[in-house]
Amino acid sequence: MDSIKNRRTIRKYTSQDIPNDLLNELLEDAFRASTMGNMQLYSVVVTRDIAMKKKLSPAHFHQPMVISAPVVLTFCADFNRFSKWCLYRKAEPGYDNPISFLNAATDALLVTQNFCTLAEEKGLGICYLGTTVYNPDQIIEILHLPKLVMPIATITVGYPDEQPEQPDRLPLSGIVHEEIYHDYTREAIDSIYAYKESLPENKHFVEINHTETLAQIFTDIRYKKSDNENMSETLHATLRKQGFEKD
Amino acid sequence: MDSIKNRRTIRKYTSQDIPNDLLNELLEDAFRASTMGNMQLYSVVVTRDIAMKKKLSPAHFHQPMVISAPVVLTFCADFNRFSKWCLYRKAEPGYDNPISFLNAATDALLVTQNFCTLAEEKGLGICYLGTTVYNPDQIIEILHLPKLVMPIATITVGYPDEQPEQPDRLPLSGIVHEEIYHDYTREAIDSIYAYKESLPENKHFVEINHTETLAQIFTDIRYKKSDNENMSETLHATLRKQGFEKD
């Protein structure tokens, strides 16, 4: 599994297209992931049409991969298909609630990661777009997602046209806890983040952003409280609109 | 990647233990998954102690794997470590909100699936316990999870002592949508679920449960509306307690 160990996000793709047979094979194998009660609570929308990519682009804050990748995949939490099956089989579905959203989102995310692993193993490169849950309302409209379907992850896929450096990761001991969670002391935090803070690219990042610390780039520029609060409002409003939450 | 293609959930394990070096190697490689802004918004609690397994067992509705597996892993959405880093670096964290929970849960689930793939590739068997999000309050207490940490997935791991049949999956065409979501007609539902409904084990399931249809086993016995609504209450109450939602 060197492809997992050596992986890096790929944001630049060659013009080579992905054959439909290959894409379908990867998706079919990805659907072997664990799924709650074998309900398979997900759907995938495949975007190849350039006009559709242009429509999706603003929802992803115009990240260029949405246009430049041959294939864009939107993985959705989906209780619509299962609920329709219930209704057509004299069964009363009860999945219009937050836990069902979380269950379907979980199913969808396990499949998303499985797809990424399989694609990378075949020499493709992927980029995970976290923007999907920031503007779910726009994506729902563009992709015609009905009630009980919620977009949860977007992956751009193509043949790599770059070989970026592998990003740093925190030391294992900073993430894994034996038996119980050992909360972090100041000393532990200093030690866990020391390597990240020592990297020249991160020091450069602090310099060009004119912040005092690397953490301030996250809190004041990239992932701000006010943005998070606005996006949380959108998330709840969209979950209500899609039928997963009550007013 | 035959291990993904041929995978099945393993619920019975031999008495062989998992060496710590192997477990750590699998976790370290799993942490190569995509993560929002390279923040690594997850923690993993490793349970090997039998006393701890016995404490966790009721939270997982006494599924026997929790006791019988050599290792139980609880993957958590974690904004505690990152927020503490911010506080110690003169940065004001703003991650006490629902979108931050969803972002951290996403990070945690991608890593969970990555771990499962790597473990299976090494000949281990895993079982994904969906019960984690049903009784998160109990798990939080047992594992001492602080604010901004939420258990999101539990995996039991061990060397397989069974080779079960591979479960059925819906046809690809029932899950994948080209360009836009094509909502399901009655005919589509009939076709997508025909194979599942035709399986002898599912017919037997209907018979012994005395229901009229297979779907009724899900709606009336396994995943009931009233249970989902109660668990949704617990989920929200727990997210409030852990600081991801306001009252």
Side-chain angles (χ1 to χ4, degrees), chain A residues 12-29:
Chain A
K12 287 186 178 160
Y13 309 101
T14 70
S15 60
Q16 192 184 341
D17 207 354
I18 303 172
N20 221 24
D21 284 355
L22 173 61
L23 184 67
N24 283 338
E25 185 194 325
L26 296 172
L27 287 168
E28 187 149 32
D29 289 352

Side-chain angles (χ1 to χ4, degrees), chain A:
Chain A
M1 295 302 298
D2 286 346
S3 62
I4 290 183
K5 198 170 178 159
N6 300 323
R7 81 166 298 278
R8 43 262 279 167
T9 290
I10 300 296
R11 293 183 176 81
K12 287 186 178 160
Y13 309 101
T14 70
S15 60
Q16 192 184 341
D17 207 354
I18 303 172
N20 221 24
D21 284 355
L22 173 61
L23 184 67
N24 283 338
E25 185 194 325
L26 296 172
L27 287 168
E28 187 149 32
D29 289 352
F31 298 158
R32 281 283 153 206
S34 295
T35 154
M36 173 152 294
N38 200 9
M39 292 190 278
Q40 295 189 260
L41 304 170
Y42 44 78
S43 276
V44 186
V45 183
V46 180
T47 307
R48 288 182 182 270
D49 181 21
I50 184 69
M52 290 299 288
K53 288 177 188 168
K54 284 180 181 165
K55 281 189 197 172
L56 283 172
S57 178
H60 295 292
F61 299 133
H62 299 284
Q63 291 179 90
M65 303 79 78
V66 175
I67 305 280
S68 65
V71 171
V72 178
L73 299 176
T74 306
F75 290 81
C76 305
D78 188 338
F79 245 120
N80 168 56
R81 181 180 55 242
F82 192 82
S83 296
K84 284 220 155 76
W85 177 56
C86 293
L87 286 170
Y88 291 135
R89 295 299 184 268
K90 303 182 194 173
E92 195 58 52
Y95 309 111
D96 53 346
N97 38 55
I99 196 79
S100 298
F101 164 66
L102 185 55
N103 287 336
T106 298
D107 264 23
L109 286 165
L110 300 183
V111 155
T112 301
Q113 182 55 42
N114 236 8
F115 174 84
C116 293
T117 300
L118 289 158
E120 288 168 341
E121 188 73 12
K122 287 280 185 190
L124 291 161
I126 70 99
C127 181
Y128 188 105
L129 306 186
T131 37
T132 313
V133 292
Y134 296 168
N135 300 302
D137 46 339
Q138 297 175 37
I139 296 170
I140 284 164
E141 206 185 315
I142 296 162
L143 301 182
H144 297 205
L145 306 183
K147 281 206 165 196
L148 297 184
V149 181
M150 182 80 182
I152 204 77
T154 302
I155 305 292
T156 58
V157 205
Y159 288 93
D161 198 22
E162 63 172 351
Q163 168 78 329
E165 288 293 305
Q166 207 180 22
D168 63 289
R169 286 292 187 263
L170 301 177
L172 191 75
S173 60
I175 298 175
V176 178
H177 302 257
E178 304 295 335
E179 302 301 341
I180 58 164
Y181 190 103
H182 297 88
D183 206 355
Y184 301 93
T185 60
R186 173 155 197 157
E187 290 65 37
I189 291 289
D190 286 349
S191 156
I192 291 164
Y193 287 90
Y195 177 68
K196 184 186 282 290
E197 291 171 322
S198 77
L199 291 171
E201 63 265 34
N202 282 337
K203 289 186 169 180
H204 178 67
F205 219 33
V206 170
E207 211 176 280
I208 59 169
N209 280 290
H210 307 289
T211 60
E212 193 183 339
T213 67
L214 182 63
Q216 287 171 358
I217 297 180
F218 289 88
T219 56
D220 300 356
I221 301 170
R222 295 189 67 193
Y223 303 99
K224 286 156 65 176
K225 187 181 180 75
S226 56
D227 290 345
N228 288 331
E229 287 176 349
N230 288 336
M231 291 186 295
S232 294
E233 287 297 314
T234 303
L235 176 67
H236 276 307
T238 310
L239 285 171
R240 279 194 295 275
K241 186 168 166 279
Q242 293 310 91
F244 281 118
E245 271 185 23
K246 297 287 185 295
D247 284 321

Side-chain angles (χ1 to χ4, degrees), chain B residues 110-155:
Chain B
L110 299 183
V111 156
T112 302
Q113 182 55 42
N114 235 8
F115 174 84
C116 293
T117 300
L118 289 157
E120 289 168 341
E121 187 74 10
K122 287 280 185 190
L124 291 160
I126 70 98
C127 182
Y128 188 105
L129 305 185
T131 38
T132 313
V133 292
Y134 295 168
N135 300 303
D137 46 340
Q138 298 175 36
I139 296 170
I140 284 164
E141 206 185 315
I142 297 162
L143 301 182
H144 297 205
L145 305 182
K147 281 207 166 198
L148 298 184
V149 181
M150 182 80 181
I152 203 76
T154 302
I155 304 293

